[in-house]
């Protein structure tokens, strides 16, 4: 039994009942808050309540009554629960909200959904930092997936009058959290990709479109859909307000990687403007100069930084062949002044590749396989003459722009 009647619990329940009856989502969003400071303040006022059913009994809708009671329990207990238990309880709140939203008509509950789903993602991150167990991300992703399915199912009327007005926000969060699950991103993200068909509608705010494009770009980059990643990340970068330096810098970190793989390097002034970490300028310098050994040395020295962003492997795997191309292009420029012209002896290419990679045990067979890969992928236009030990470069544009070479996998 309660030690005494709790006026705060009573006021919250009565206000919630009024907001639900009049379908006032804005009023409910002001009531069901998920800010840590607000939760701690309200939680102290509710600490003496043992059973919230004695307060929610006045609510006519049983699902809303259960949602309200579970939310109040979450607020009351948050200050002493560990991160894992707190996340489980918040997942329960979100599951009840999903059931509530499924039974409602129209988009009036969307204002409540936005802070709840964002808090769910933030809770999953805190739980992972505490436990190092990605299960929290999987829990959150499952809830978001069920919620997104329900939102997209409401397609009986105009977009602005349906629950689909919330789908872009939830899809962005689902993409965000799917990147952190132990399963492949596509296991959760496939439903979020359906929202691309609605992305251009003016019903969605610029903020939601930019956020969705950012997370979609990151998803494409992880899947090696490089051209699609560039397109989405460029939109996010250009659409992000100029004053929001932190967000523009976050987008630029991934846009830098996608552009580098397609042969476009960020200008030093751009990196300086957004106060990018010095490692980006170092990588760009070594990439441009064809210095493979130093590029990989800098990358490995900053492995944890790039791994935390999910960019380490793509930088390590996709840049090596491009740097060898730059080495060959620079060597060709020197060789063009000789009488051999476009025909480069293998010995010169081998010396250049050995110097770039600092791998002086590289032999002709390994060097020729690199050349064959460059030609096969059309990074270099020319012919290899194995017996004569020559590479004969095309007379016209032997080094086409990387961005024009169709090697990047595109999304469907």
């Amino acid at each position: 039994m309660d030690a005494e009647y709790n006026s705060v619990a009573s006021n919250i329940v009565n206000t919630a009942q009024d907001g639900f009856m009049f379908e006032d989502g804005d009023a409910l969003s002001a009531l069901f808050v998920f800010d840590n400071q607000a939760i701690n303040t309200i939680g102290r006022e509710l600490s003496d309540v043992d059973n919230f059913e004695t307060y929610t009994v006045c609510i006519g809708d049983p699902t809303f009554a259960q949602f309200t009671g579970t939310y109040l329990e979450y607020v009351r207990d948050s200050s002493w629960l560990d991160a894992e238990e707190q996340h489980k309880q918040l997942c329960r709140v979100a599951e009840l909200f999903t059931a509530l939203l499924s039974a409602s008509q129209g988009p009036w509950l969307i204002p409540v959904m936005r802070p709840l789903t964002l808090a769910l993602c933030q809770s999953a991150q805190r739980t992972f930092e505490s436990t190092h167990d990605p299960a929290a991300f999987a829990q959150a992703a499952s809830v978001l997936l069920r919620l997104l399915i329900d939102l997209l199912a409401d397609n009986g009327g105009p977009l602005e009058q349906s629950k689909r007005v919330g789908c872009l926000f939830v899809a962005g969060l689902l993409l965000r959290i799917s990147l952190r699950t132990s399963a492949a991103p596509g296991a959760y993200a496939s439903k979020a990709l359906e929202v691309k068909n609605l992305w251009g509608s003016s019903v969605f705010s610029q903020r939601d479109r930019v956020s969705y494009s950012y997370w979609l770009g990151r998803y494409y980059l992880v899947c090696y859909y490089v051209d699609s990643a560039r397109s989405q990340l460029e939109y996010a970068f250009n659409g992000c307000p100029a004053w929001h330096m932190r967000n523009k810098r976050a987008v630029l970190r991934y846009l830098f990687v996608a552009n580098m793989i397609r042969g476009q390097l960020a200008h030093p002034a751009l990196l300086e403007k957004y106060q990018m970490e010095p490692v980006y300028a170092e990588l760009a310098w070594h990439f441009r100069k064809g210095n493979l050994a130093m590029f990989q040395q800098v990358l490995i020295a900053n492995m944890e930084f790039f791994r935390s962003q999910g960019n380490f492997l793509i930088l390590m795997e996709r840049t090596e062949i491009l740097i060898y191309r730059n080495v060959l292009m620079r060597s060709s420029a020197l060789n063009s002044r000789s009488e051999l012209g476009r025909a480069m002896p293998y010995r010169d290419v081998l010396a250049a590749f050995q110097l770039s990679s600092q791998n002086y045990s590289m032999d002709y067979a390994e060097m020729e396989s690199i050349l064959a890969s460059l030609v096969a992928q059309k990074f270099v236009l020319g012919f290899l003459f194995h017996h004569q030990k020559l590479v004969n470069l095309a007379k016209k544009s032997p080094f086409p722009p990387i961005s024009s070479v169709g090697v990047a996998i595109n999304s469907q």
Side-chain angles (χ1 to χ4, degrees):
M1 294 294 293
D2 295 347
E4 58 183 20
Y5 174 78
N6 189 292
S7 60
V8 174
S10 179
N11 288 337
I12 290 176
V13 170
N14 289 333
T15 305
Q17 171 64 359
D18 289 343
F20 186 78
M21 288 179 59
F22 292 102
E23 297 187 350
D24 189 345
D26 291 329
L28 291 178
S29 68
L31 188 66
F32 294 103
V33 295
F34 296 91
D35 174 76
N36 288 334
Q37 184 175 356
I39 285 178
N40 290 336
T41 300
I42 300 171
R44 287 193 294 269
E45 298 296 329
L46 301 176
S47 60
D48 63 340
V49 180
D50 294 328
N51 184 5
F52 287 106
E53 289 184 8
T54 59
Y55 296 88
T56 60
V57 69
C58 67
I59 298 178
D61 185 279
T63 305
F64 185 63
Q66 192 176 8
F67 166 74
T68 303
T70 305
Y71 168 78
L72 292 174
E73 290 175 0
Y74 166 74
V75 172
R76 180 196 62 191
D77 299 341
S78 286
S79 61
W80 58 268
L81 288 176
D82 61 32
E84 188 173 12
E85 289 300 318
Q86 189 179 35
H87 181 67
K88 288 180 180 178
Q89 198 160 348
L90 184 57
C91 284
R92 179 58 178 158
V93 173
E95 288 168 353
L96 287 168
F97 176 81
T98 302
L100 189 66
L101 184 69
S102 179
S104 69
Q105 299 294 322
W108 64 277
L109 279 172
I110 299 301
V112 182
M113 180 202 72
R114 296 175 70 95
L116 171 57
T117 51
L118 181 59
L120 186 65
C121 290
Q122 294 170 340
S123 174
Q125 180 64 40
R126 289 194 300 270
T127 304
F128 175 75
E129 291 172 354
S130 174
T131 64
H132 303 290
D133 185 355
F137 292 119
Q139 286 177 317
S142 296
V143 175
L144 291 172
L145 179 59
R146 291 196 296 272
L147 182 58
L148 183 58
I149 290 172
D150 181 74
L151 293 172
L152 290 173
D154 187 18
N155 57 5
L159 179 58
E160 62 272 13
Q161 297 176 18
S162 75
K163 288 180 281 190
R164 287 178 295 161
V165 296
C167 68
L168 196 66
F169 181 78
V170 175
L173 293 180
L174 184 55
L175 286 168
R176 168 184 176 177
I177 207 138
S178 70
L179 294 170
R180 303 301 306 274
T181 62
S182 55
Y188 290 107
S190 58
K191 199 68 180 178
L193 300 182
E194 294 181 18
V195 181
K196 288 190 299 181
N197 298 327
L198 304 173
W199 176 86
S201 173
S202 59
V203 170
F204 300 114
S205 67
Q206 177 70 2
R207 178 180 180 182
D208 282 356
R209 285 202 295 263
V210 166
S211 180
Y212 178 76
S213 290
Y214 168 66
W215 292 110
L216 183 58
R218 286 190 54 178
Y219 168 78
Y220 280 149
L221 193 57
V222 167
C223 297
Y224 286 14
Y225 301 152
V226 180
D227 287 336
S228 295
R230 288 177 65 202
S231 176
Q232 295 295 332
L233 292 169
E234 283 175 359
Y235 177 87
F237 183 77
N238 294 328
C240 185
W243 55 266
H244 216 313
M245 296 286 287
R246 179 181 177 183
N247 282 1
K248 289 185 81 74
R249 180 167 59 248
V251 179
L252 188 56
R253 285 175 178 148
Y254 296 92
L255 185 56
F256 174 95
V257 175
N259 279 338
M260 173 174 280
I261 295 169
R262 296 302 277 149
Q264 296 184 5
L265 301 180
H267 195 280
L270 181 68
L271 300 178
E272 183 178 355
K273 177 180 178 180
Y274 291 101
Q275 301 174 357
M276 296 286 284
E277 291 81 359
V279 63
Y280 289 100
E282 292 183 61
L283 290 178
W285 171 262
H286 294 305
F287 184 95
R288 183 181 291 109
K289 296 298 182 181
N291 194 335
L292 177 61
M294 286 303 301
F295 181 94
Q296 294 185 340
Q297 182 177 320
V298 170
L299 188 59
I300 292 171
N302 294 272
M303 180 188 298
E304 290 306 314
F305 174 72
F306 286 106
R307 284 183 63 185
S308 68
Q309 298 176 40
N311 286 334
F312 179 78
L313 285 179
I314 193 169
L315 279 171
M316 180 64 76
E317 294 173 356
R318 288 300 182 97
T319 55
E320 181 173 350
I321 193 69
L322 302 180
I323 293 175
Y324 277 125
R325 174 188 183 275
N326 289 346
V327 173
L328 187 64
M329 184 166 56
R330 292 171 67 86
S331 299
S332 172
L334 295 174
N335 194 68
S336 63
R337 301 188 184 96
S338 71
E339 60 183 17
L340 290 174
R342 293 293 183 181
M344 295 184 63
Y346 272 11
R347 64 175 181 276
D348 293 347
V349 178
L350 177 61
F353 282 6
Q354 287 177 336
L355 183 62
S356 171
S357 63
Q358 297 293 297
N359 177 18
Y360 294 104
S361 63
M362 179 186 293
D363 56 19
Y364 280 110
E366 184 177 354
M367 178 272 299
E368 190 174 42
S369 70
I370 296 171
L371 285 177
S373 179
L374 286 167
V375 172
Q377 296 184 58
K378 301 188 185 305
F379 286 128
V380 175
L381 303 182
F383 299 93
L384 305 183
F385 294 95
H386 174 75
H387 295 294
Q388 290 81 7
K389 296 190 182 304
L390 288 173
V391 53
N392 192 13
L393 300 174
K395 292 183 177 179
K396 184 178 180 180
S397 302
F399 300 97
I402 294 173
S403 58
S404 69
V405 180
V407 296
I409 304 173
N410 290 304
S411 65
Q412 300 298 318

